[in-house]
Amino acid sequence: LAVGIGLTAELMDKSVRTSQDIVRHLDVAMLGAIPDTDDEEVAIDRVETAVHDHPQSMVAEAFRRVRTNLQFSAPAERQRSIVVTSPRADDGTTTVACNLAMTVAQGGRRVLLVDANFRRPGLHQVFAAVKAKGLSNILIGDGDLTAYAVKTDIPLLDVLGGGPTPPNPAELLGSPQCQAFLRDAVSKYDQVIIDTPPVLLASDGIVLAKAVDGVILVVRAKKDSRGV
């Protein structure tokens, strides 16, 4: 009976659990796996800044591995602008975007981290210097990147907040003004990393993906199903 229950539970579990599941079901290369903070030997107070606060932790090392794999995935000129998204909310998109941006900046490249998640912005909670005006203002012609991007404590890393929530985020992100913003951003920075909403909840990330060099999809192990 115990064996039967175990086999049934195994067959009914449709979650993504291993790197092989990613490769098999998505048919894409996996950049890396970030361990859960519960498995970390170092006490991490804020996982969004783990790379900066705890550079010797397993989490920080995992993000450095992701940076290395990303660098080898394509020539530098073909990964100047990158969208970070996920299937569902709370999959860790903002955490990955923040730590990846810090890791790339620590590697000596000028990085702009952009909050394009108008529906649930999170970068202002991580970086206190983020201004109330930001990306949405730029896309409607109210100011430019130089006016709203702020420097952080991490050398070579600047952050641009989302700004006021627009009534039509997808239309703004698909507009010619957004393409002009991206051209301006990649002319000033070596890499632009953009945090976007989950693709199953909003089309913003899908719209923006058409205008950038690549997309990083964050999948939460043992939580996201293969169908999701």
Side-chain angles (χ1 to χ4, degrees):
L1 181 59
V3 171
I5 293 174
L7 288 173
T8 302
E10 180 73 16
L11 293 173
M12 292 180 63
D13 186 1
K14 302 298 183 181
S15 65
V16 175
R17 291 176 292 175
T18 66
S19 57
Q20 287 77 15
D21 289 339
I22 296 290
V23 176
R24 184 184 305 114
H25 296 286
L26 292 182
D27 195 26
V28 294
M30 195 168 112
L31 293 175
I34 311 302
D36 193 273
T37 52
D38 293 339
D39 301 328
E40 181 64 68
E41 297 177 355
V42 179
I44 297 179
D45 299 325
R46 192 167 62 163
V47 69
E48 292 85 357
T49 56
V51 166
H52 176 64
D53 299 339
H54 306 281
Q56 304 303 321
S57 64
M58 291 190 301
V59 171
E61 181 59 33
F63 276 110
R64 286 191 286 269
R65 195 175 302 115
V66 170
R67 176 193 64 189
T68 301
N69 290 336
L70 180 62
Q71 290 173 343
F72 281 101
S73 64
E77 289 302 313
R78 290 179 53 195
Q79 51 174 291
R80 297 288 300 278
S81 55
I82 296 175
V83 157
V84 181
T85 189
S86 65
R88 308 182 310 169
D90 299 322
D91 281 337
T93 305
T94 301
T95 296
V96 171
C98 291
N99 281 285
L100 180 61
M102 294 177 190
T103 308
V104 173
Q106 290 173 353
R109 306 191 73 194
R110 288 204 65 202
V111 182
L112 176 66
L113 178 60
V114 181
D115 195 343
N117 189 346
F118 296 124
R119 304 165 195 273
R120 191 181 175 186
L123 294 189
H124 67 283
Q125 298 176 351
V126 181
F127 302 95
V130 170
K131 297 182 179 180
K133 290 187 175 183
L135 179 60
S136 61
N137 298 93
I138 296 174
L139 297 185
I140 63 172
D142 178 21
D144 57 13
L145 178 58
T146 306
Y148 301 133
V150 297
K151 295 185 179 298
T152 66
D153 295 336
I154 296 94
L156 302 179
L157 175 60
D158 292 354
V159 177
L160 176 67
T165 304
N168 52 348
E171 291 184 22
L172 278 183
L173 294 174
S175 66
Q177 289 83 358
C178 186
Q179 296 179 11
F181 159 74
L182 289 172
R183 288 194 297 268
D184 183 34
V186 297
S187 70
K188 292 181 171 67
Y189 296 88
D190 298 318
Q191 198 156 42
V192 180
I193 298 176
I194 308 170
D195 183 21
T196 63
V199 294
L200 294 183
L201 299 181
S203 61
D204 304 6
I206 298 173
V207 170
L208 193 56
K210 300 176 182 178
V212 299
D213 295 328
V215 177
I216 293 177
L217 182 67
V218 180
V219 179
R220 191 172 182 183
K222 301 179 182 179
K223 296 292 183 181
D224 288 342
S225 69
R226 295 192 288 263
V228 166

